[in-house]
Amino acid sequence: MARRPAGRHRRAGARQITYREVIAIREFRALWYGQGLSLLGDQLAQVALAVLVYDRTRSPLATAAVYALTYLPSIVGGPLLAGLADRFARRGVMLTCDLIRAVLVGAMAIPGMPFPVLCALVFLVVLLSAPFSAARAALLPEVLEGDAYVIGSALQNMTNQAVQMIGFAAGGALIATMGPYRALALDAATFLGSALILVSGVRRRPAANLDGAKPSMWTMTVGGARLVFGSRKLRTLVLFAWLCGFYILPEGIAVPYAATLYTGTLPVPVITGLLMAAMPTGTVVGAFLFSRFVSPPRRLRLMGWMAMLSCAPLVVTAMRPPLAVVLAAWVLSGIGGAYQLAANAAFVQAVPAERRAQAFGLVQSGLMAVQGIGILVGGFAAERLGPEPVVALAGVTGLTSAAVLAMIWTESRGDKTARVRAEAAA
């Protein structure tokens, strides 16, 4: 039953697919549910770590450093480990990563765990997210093709952002009652739940590399880098993806920002959760509107404008507005972040299936790296300047970068259109 609806989507070609048709595919539902479940636990864990560190140190730099630790391992894991999803069966890679992470996070949930050991465990857990994410990203186009892939990606993106919104918003309140260690134990259980869903809902497939060759991890990494960065189109799409480093930065200093917004009405952990939930809320709205009411060709034309919208609202924080204005600006920024759907779909279409996981891994490693480095730099600056000007500066820099990328993208699309017309006239 799972393969029949997918076939209809393949034959549909340019027809715009509905959400109902995509949800009807069993394998997609399994990937969708598993990702959402594990992500919910991760958001609780992130809030728990941020609140725990800030309570101990009262340092924006230390808080941002631990938050950045959830991004930086991908600098290593993406390039070197993502290729495992091309070398081995992708479902098996995902299952292995889920089970190992369940054990590691379970160890983090042990009360009294020394802080350096806790940081090392966080590093390893995030390190394993690289091959898992690469395998899932490479498997999704095998389950969905054409516009069904865009709609499925949009649905996953909206669900992920909604889960982040719920996890962040409720995280402060839950951690205030259940404590950070129980939140980490819940995160470990979600990895086990994700593995169970994958076993029951995703069918086995052979490894993508069917010729039997087993190149070294270094050879696969170099080859993937040449593929991704050797094409002007792919380079531009990658830079669009990495632009999120600017508009994700505020999440890393949400706790000290919440402290500046504290007026005695809401506790700082609740304000923190609201701030961290604002952008995911906007992204849910933006992804739905962008995928449901904008045609595939028009998504590519609007991509540059949406990218600029993802950064521009952050500039308002320079005026030190109240909480309601900050939340509105961050929601608007999240709406602009929906441009990533168009960039992701264009990237998938341009990369060979047998090298997809390695390419996704490289992009994901850079994505996580720029976010982690940006958050770390933001925490360092916020400790000296305060959170508001740092967020505003990130918005200005991101807006400038997005404008440059938009011009490059428009120029490259114009060149392609001119070539097509010239070939048609000939």
Side-chain angles (χ1 to χ4, degrees):
M1 287 181 69
R3 292 190 291 270
R4 190 177 301 167
R8 286 202 297 269
H9 294 320
R10 293 185 181 100
R11 291 192 296 271
R15 181 174 69 85
Q16 193 161 353
I17 306 300
T18 66
Y19 286 103
R20 180 176 297 179
E21 290 175 296
V22 173
I23 294 174
I25 301 173
R26 181 185 178 190
E27 286 190 294
F28 170 74
R29 290 199 306 272
L31 293 172
W32 182 30
Y33 295 157
Q35 174 71 5
L37 180 62
S38 62
L39 186 61
L40 179 60
D42 286 346
Q43 304 321 303
L44 293 175
Q46 284 187 346
V47 176
L49 288 171
V51 172
L52 181 62
V53 173
Y54 190 70
D55 284 345
R56 289 184 180 181
T57 65
R58 293 294 170 182
S59 169
L61 177 58
T63 305
V66 173
Y67 196 88
L69 193 61
T70 65
Y71 292 94
L72 296 182
S74 293
I75 298 175
V76 176
L80 295 181
L81 300 181
L84 293 173
D86 287 334
R87 180 185 291 218
F88 302 104
R90 286 163 179 164
R91 191 189 76 153
V93 171
M94 296 171 69
L95 288 173
T96 302
C97 291
D98 264 345
L99 294 175
I100 296 176
R101 287 187 293 177
V103 173
L104 294 174
V105 176
M108 292 168 57
I110 299 174
M113 180 67 64
F115 190 71
V117 177
L118 189 65
C119 291
L121 291 172
V122 170
F123 185 92
L124 292 175
V125 169
V126 179
L127 189 66
L128 287 171
S129 69
F132 179 91
S133 298
R136 183 177 58 83
L139 186 59
L140 186 60
E142 298 181 20
V143 176
L144 304 174
E145 292 187 6
D147 196 47
Y149 173 78
V150 178
I151 297 300
S153 297
L155 188 57
Q156 279 200 335
N157 186 277
M158 287 187 291
T159 303
N160 292 348
Q161 298 299 327
V163 167
Q164 290 185 41
M165 175 183 64
I166 295 171
F168 283 146
L174 285 175
I175 290 164
T177 57
M178 68 188 303
Y181 293 108
R182 290 183 181 178
L184 291 171
L186 181 60
D187 187 22
T190 61
F191 284 123
L192 293 176
S194 173
L196 184 61
I197 291 173
L198 292 174
V199 168
S200 60
V202 178
R203 66 181 177 88
R204 292 182 179 180
R205 287 177 172 84
N209 188 1
L210 298 177
D211 58 7
K214 298 291 184 182
S216 67
M217 300 303 295
W218 177 252
T219 300
M220 296 180 68
T221 301
V222 172
R226 289 175 178 170
L227 171 67
V228 171
F229 299 107
S231 163
R232 181 185 181 187
K233 178 180 179 180
L234 288 179
R235 281 199 308 271
T236 304
L237 292 171
V238 168
L239 291 176
F240 266 119
W242 290 354
L243 188 69
C244 74
F246 293 107
Y247 59 83
I248 290 296
L249 182 150
E251 288 187 5
I253 55 175
V255 177
Y257 202 155
T260 66
L261 294 171
Y262 177 69
T263 60
T265 303
L266 296 174
V268 170
V270 174
I271 298 175
T272 300
L274 292 174
L275 289 174
M276 298 179 81
M279 286 189 190
T281 301
T283 303
V284 170
V285 176
F288 175 76
L289 297 176
F290 199 51
S291 62
R292 185 68 181 85
F293 299 106
V294 181
S295 64
R298 188 167 177 80
R299 290 173 198 150
L300 294 177
R301 293 197 296 269
L302 292 176
M303 187 166 66
W305 293 103
M306 294 286 286
M308 288 187 280
L309 178 62
S310 69
C311 298
L314 301 179
V315 180
V316 74
T317 58
M319 296 182 290
R320 303 179 187 274
L323 176 62
V325 176
V326 175
L327 292 176
W330 290 21
V331 168
L332 188 58
S333 174
I335 292 175
Y339 79 89
Q340 296 276 7
L341 292 173
N344 185 35
F347 186 83
V348 167
Q349 294 173 358
V351 175
E354 66 277 7
R355 304 179 68 183
R356 192 176 288 147
Q358 182 67 64
F360 269 113
L362 285 168
V363 176
Q364 186 71 10
S365 69
L367 186 69
M368 300 297 280
V370 297
Q371 291 181 57
I373 293 172
I375 289 171
L376 192 60
V377 172
F380 181 81
E383 197 156 79
R384 287 152 178 79
L385 305 175
E388 299 95 333
V390 172
V391 173
L393 182 60
V396 171
T397 309
L399 177 61
T400 304
S401 302
V404 173
L405 288 175
M407 289 187 289
I408 295 174
W409 179 251
T410 301
E411 180 184 349
S412 64
R413 291 185 67 250
D415 292 343
K416 181 179 179 180
T417 302
R419 289 197 302 270
V420 171
R421 289 176 177 174
E423 292 174 358

